[in-house]
Amino acid sequence: MTVSLEQLRRCHVAVDLGAARTRVYVKGVGLVVDEPSVAAVNTRTGSLIAVGSLAEQMTGRTPAYIRVARPVSGGTVVDIDMAQRMLRHLLGEKLRRQLRRKPRLRAAACVPHDADPLAQRAAVETLVGLGARRVELVDTLIAAAIGSGLPVEQPTATMIMVCGAATTQIAVLSLGSIVTAVRIPIGGEAIDNAVIQHLRQHHELMLPTQSVRPLQLALRGNGLTLKGPAVTEIHGRDVATGLARSVQVDTAAVRQAIHTPLTAVLDGLGKVLRDCPPDLVADIAESGIMMVGGSALLPGLDQMLRDATGVPVTIADRPDVCSVLGLGAMLDGTVQPLVLTPIAR
């Protein structure tokens, strides 16, 4: 995935295929697509019924002949044909006509850190099927660091944590490259599932995961901090009777259930710091950790990381779109590399 900035400047469109949302950036235009990575298909005819937000609203509410599919899982395309159809409808006919006018359409795409060759190939084939003649792959960590405004090209350490829906990626960068990094299969979906399982086991309550965000309900107030409300009312369906029921949930118990999956994130953070050279760790102690990704907005998560590591933790201004904005900055040529002139003998 080693690609030069000169090659990226020749690209016309950048795509971030995330597990939760798909984002498309067009050179000279900006962010044109920001929709959920969901598609609804009629299994009888094979036709696409809806994509994006409308398809996400259909989850759990469709008859048997309509299937709601997620062609992207963990930042990796698992259904190339469905991903192409979803992207085609998200872009719209007008934008697709504009892109087709390009003589040799080039595209850039984000891929997770340490993505295997099969995952990289799936991302390339998805964009080639949309008309791209050449596809450049960029590590999500580098794109997110640039999009959040970190000076990744400087000889100082910058630490970034990409909190996605399915995975969490942590890395230390210096001189435009990744020094050490780790990818953890824990994200916002795992945290949501921890809350759902807690309510099912201790209160015999089932929650509709799409219509009601259980995490936002259970962490109303100050989230993971102790300043939140002591009790929260949750509405759902009784496991035994199937009838609607409301229960008073102890927020402290919900916080404890959420801490269980977050322990793996803290372990990964410690591993990255242990593998990092001491000089770079000293830089991180001053500059701190930059959090990006949709799950970075979990209330109280930044304070928890701050208490566990003892270093400053900052959330980016627009954490959910940092990756695609970083790709867009590379396409527009606003990122200037550090030029190292060889010393003459």
Side-chain angles (χ1 to χ4, degrees):
M1 288 188 297
T2 303
V3 57
S4 67
L5 287 174
E6 185 62 32
Q7 290 173 312
L8 288 172
R9 289 193 188 102
R10 298 173 185 171
C11 294
H12 306 97
V13 61
V15 179
D16 179 16
L17 285 168
R21 301 183 73 86
T22 295
R23 299 176 176 92
V24 180
Y25 184 100
V26 176
K27 187 176 182 178
V29 179
L31 189 64
V32 295
V33 174
D34 185 3
E35 291 283 341
S37 303
V38 188
V41 184
N42 187 328
T43 57
R44 294 174 180 172
T45 62
S47 60
L48 201 62
I49 297 176
V51 295
S53 300
L54 180 58
E56 188 177 44
Q57 294 174 9
M58 294 182 180
T59 305
R61 299 185 175 91
T62 60
Y65 67 92
I66 295 179
R67 179 174 66 93
V68 178
R70 292 182 176 270
V72 184
S73 176
T76 302
V77 179
V78 294
D79 189 338
I80 296 176
D81 179 64
M82 186 60 65
Q84 290 176 350
R85 296 174 67 185
M86 180 187 72
L87 267 176
R88 197 174 291 116
H89 283 78
L90 287 177
L91 288 172
E93 183 62 30
K94 181 179 179 181
L95 185 56
R96 280 188 285 131
R97 281 201 304 267
Q98 293 177 0
L99 294 177
R100 280 199 296 264
R101 296 194 188 105
K102 307 292 183 182
R104 285 185 59 85
L105 180 63
R106 290 176 176 244
C110 287
V111 291
H113 179 68
D114 281 345
D116 57 77
L118 187 61
Q120 297 180 28
R121 182 66 181 172
V124 171
E125 289 189 4
T126 299
L127 297 183
V128 168
L130 292 176
R133 300 300 180 91
R134 184 182 177 92
V135 179
E136 308 290 355
L137 300 180
V138 180
D139 197 303
T140 301
L141 290 166
I142 295 179
I146 293 174
S148 61
L150 291 177
V152 295
E153 73 281 357
Q154 297 299 320
T156 56
T158 54
M159 191 169 191
I160 186 153
M161 175 183 288
V162 181
C163 306
T167 60
T168 298
Q169 304 174 68
I170 310 169
V172 174
L173 299 92
S174 180
L175 288 173
S177 299
I178 296 174
V179 178
T180 178
V182 66
R183 184 168 60 154
I184 308 159
I186 298 294
E189 294 176 355
I191 297 172
D192 280 356
N193 289 334
V195 177
I196 293 171
Q197 292 302 317
H198 171 79
L199 295 175
R200 184 184 180 95
Q201 294 173 5
H202 295 84
H203 299 277
E204 297 183 350
L205 193 72
M206 294 181 63
L207 265 67
T209 58
Q210 295 301 322
S211 61
V212 179
R213 292 291 294 173
L215 187 61
Q216 296 176 0
L217 285 176
L219 295 181
R220 190 179 303 157
N222 292 312
L224 297 178
T225 62
L226 299 178
K227 298 178 182 179
V231 177
T232 303
E233 185 177 9
I234 302 290
H235 305 279
R237 189 182 74 180
D238 189 277
V239 173
T241 64
L243 301 177
R245 185 163 63 92
S246 301
V247 296
Q248 297 291 328
V249 179
D250 183 9
T251 311
V254 176
R255 280 197 296 265
Q256 185 61 38
I258 287 174
H259 273 286
T260 301
L262 289 179
T263 303
V265 176
L266 295 177
D267 292 343
L269 187 61
K271 181 181 183 302
V272 170
L273 292 174
R274 288 193 300 270
D275 295 342
C276 192
D279 291 341
L280 297 183
V281 174
D283 292 341
I284 295 171
E286 296 181 3
S287 60
I289 304 170
M290 177 66 74
M291 293 179 61
V292 302
S295 300
L297 299 173
L298 174 63
L301 179 58
D302 55 338
Q303 184 61 45
M304 190 185 94
L305 296 176
R306 199 175 293 116
D307 296 338
T309 60
V311 301
V313 178
T314 307
I315 301 177
D317 293 336
R318 299 179 65 187
D320 51 341
V321 295
C322 280
S323 296
V324 72
L325 291 182
L327 275 181
M330 289 186 273
L331 264 61
D332 292 334
T334 59
V335 180
Q336 298 297 327
L338 179 65
V339 179
L340 301 176
T341 306
I343 299 175
R345 293 184 178 179

